[in-house]
Amino acid sequence: MASQVFKNKTFSSVYHKYMIPISKETLNMVLSFVQGKRNGQPLEMAVDVGCGTGRYTIPLAPHFKKVLGIDFSKAQINLANQYNLLDNVSYMVAPAEKLPIENDSVDLLNAGLAAHFFRVDEFASEAVRVLKKKGCLAVHGLYPACDIEYKDLSHDLTVVMSEVWKILYQHADKSKDHLLCQYESIYEVIPLKDKQLITDIPVKFQMSFPEIIEFIQAVYMFQIFLEKDVKKAEQFLKQIEKRFQDILGENADSVRLNVNVKHYCVLARKD
Ligand SMILES: C[S@@+](CC[C@H](N)C(=O)[O-])C[C@H]1O[C@@H](n2cnc3c(N)ncnc32)[C@H](O)[C@@H]1O
């Protein structure tokens, strides 16, 4: 199972350090959806499943009385606890398919960049069980591709990145099918009537090319590649590094590249 790589302590720190930033755009959509039909009623409990090191858990804290992050990787939860300075945030090791949470107790059940690893039917039933009446489910992800813009080199740089993703896909399991259809497959199995799927949420940020190389190493598919064949995986990284350097020339390391990615989000509300 691809998600087992998150149980590796070293990969856990690489992921935390080098994964691209969370999508504030998506997070704002989630928060407006949750606040939508509440008439100002305070939000008590959010649970972030597949929380990893807490990158999406912490930003929920100002909006809820309590936030609980849950992940089946002890390595991820150890790091999350290490980084947590907030009194209303806590973490637990548990699987998404059997949440240690009471029935009808959660205002928001969130899963960022994680639901494609879950046994989705079981997670969806758990969501319905733990959500309060009018409680919301939000599952969102990142499309595994990106365009790079820089002067007149955008085309060449984007071609290199497309080739990177093509190689990485070879090391994914069926989790990648959920990513490539922008969670339509997950949207379909959620047994709630009030639901919507928002795709192609554009997100832009700047990165240097060494940061892009670090980001590649934080992708779970690269970690699987590394575990299968260290030599080939390292060679692949070196080749990509060289191709970026050849395209960008002298100041390769210092130029800031515009990176465009897209996110998508399933939002659902219990009757
Ligand atoms: C790509 S990381 C995302 C972490 C975090 N949400 C973020 O955006 O940084 C996916 C996380 O899902 C967790 N995970 C995968 N399958 C799981 C499962 N069945 N139950 C609980 N956690 C799971 C992994 O351990 C990992 O921490």
Side-chain angles (χ1 to χ4, degrees):
M1 237 193 336
S3 54
Q4 296 300 318
V5 295
F6 290 98
K7 295 189 176 173
N8 176 322
K9 228 167 123 185
T10 312
F11 179 60
S12 200
S13 335
V14 169
Y15 180 84
H16 186 75
K17 262 189 152 146
Y18 302 136
M19 181 41 72
I20 56 171
I22 64 163
S23 161
K24 292 198 182 111
E25 296 77 356
T26 309
L27 201 62
N28 288 339
M29 274 182 196
V30 171
L31 289 168
S32 351
F33 186 73
V34 183
Q35 282 149 356
K37 295 189 180 167
R38 311 270 316 183
N39 300 325
Q41 211 185 322
L43 293 164
E44 283 165 358
M45 180 70 176
V47 178
D48 184 26
V49 189
C51 64
T53 58
R55 297 181 336 130
Y56 277 101
T57 322
I58 297 295
L60 294 174
H63 307 277
F64 294 84
K65 208 164 157 194
K66 270 190 175 171
V67 183
L68 172 65
I70 287 185
D71 199 289
F72 78 170
S73 158
K74 217 171 156 190
Q76 296 277 74
I77 292 295
N78 283 344
L79 277 187
N81 274 320
Q82 209 175 301
Y83 297 126
N84 182 26
L85 299 170
L86 301 172
D87 287 340
N88 67 334
V89 174
S90 60
Y91 293 100
M92 256 177 123
V93 177
E97 298 80 3
K98 201 167 187 295
L99 297 171
I101 294 170
E102 282 179 24
N103 295 354
D104 310 307
S105 61
V106 174
D107 294 298
L108 168 67
L109 189 70
N110 181 69
L113 278 58
H116 47 283
F117 294 120
F118 304 163
R119 291 196 299 276
V120 177
D121 290 0
E122 291 168 48
F123 172 66
S125 309
E126 280 295 79
V128 175
R129 180 182 70 76
V130 302
L131 285 175
K132 289 180 186 170
K133 202 166 182 264
K134 291 202 166 73
C136 298
L137 170 66
V139 287
H140 42 99
L142 166 70
Y143 192 79
C146 41
D147 290 345
I148 301 185
E149 288 171 351
Y150 182 66
K151 296 188 175 167
D152 57 347
L153 302 173
S154 306
H155 175 262
D156 292 357
L157 292 165
T158 299
V159 166
V160 176
M161 272 320 280
S162 313
E163 288 174 22
V164 167
W165 285 111
K166 232 190 216 163
I167 302 285
L168 294 182
Y169 291 167
Q170 293 170 11
H171 301 283
D173 60 359
K174 64 177 171 33
S175 56
K176 99 169 174 295
D177 301 338
H178 291 307
L179 303 179
L180 292 174
C181 70
Q182 299 199 46
Y183 278 7
E184 197 179 340
S185 47
I186 296 181
Y187 169 81
E188 274 163 13
V189 302
I190 290 169
L192 294 172
K193 273 186 275 154
D194 181 2
K195 61 176 176 178
Q196 50 183 285
L197 169 64
I198 305 141
T199 58
D200 299 312
I201 305 164
V203 178
K204 256 182 196 292
F205 45 89
Q206 289 203 327
M207 283 172 114
S208 67
F209 113 78
E211 284 168 341
I212 292 178
I213 299 290
E214 289 169 344
F215 161 55
I216 295 171
Q217 293 171 76
V219 175
Y220 73 98
M221 303 171 205
F222 179 78
Q223 177 64 21
I224 296 172
F225 188 7
L226 200 66
E227 288 180 9
K228 276 196 226 157
D229 193 333
V230 186
K231 230 175 159 182
K232 270 198 189 151
E234 284 174 351
Q235 249 170 22
F236 158 75
L237 264 193
K238 282 216 172 84
Q239 281 163 6
I240 299 302
E241 211 171 322
K242 174 146 187 353
R243 288 183 65 190
F244 271 113
Q245 274 160 343
D246 290 347
I247 297 171
L248 291 169
E250 259 183 18
N251 300 321
D253 282 12
S254 57
V255 294
R256 304 297 290 168
L257 309 168
N258 290 318
V259 180
N260 300 313
V261 295
K262 56 187 186 189
H263 285 250
Y264 38 87
C265 185
V266 179
L267 298 170
R269 196 185 321 263
K270 187 166 156 181
D271 288 337

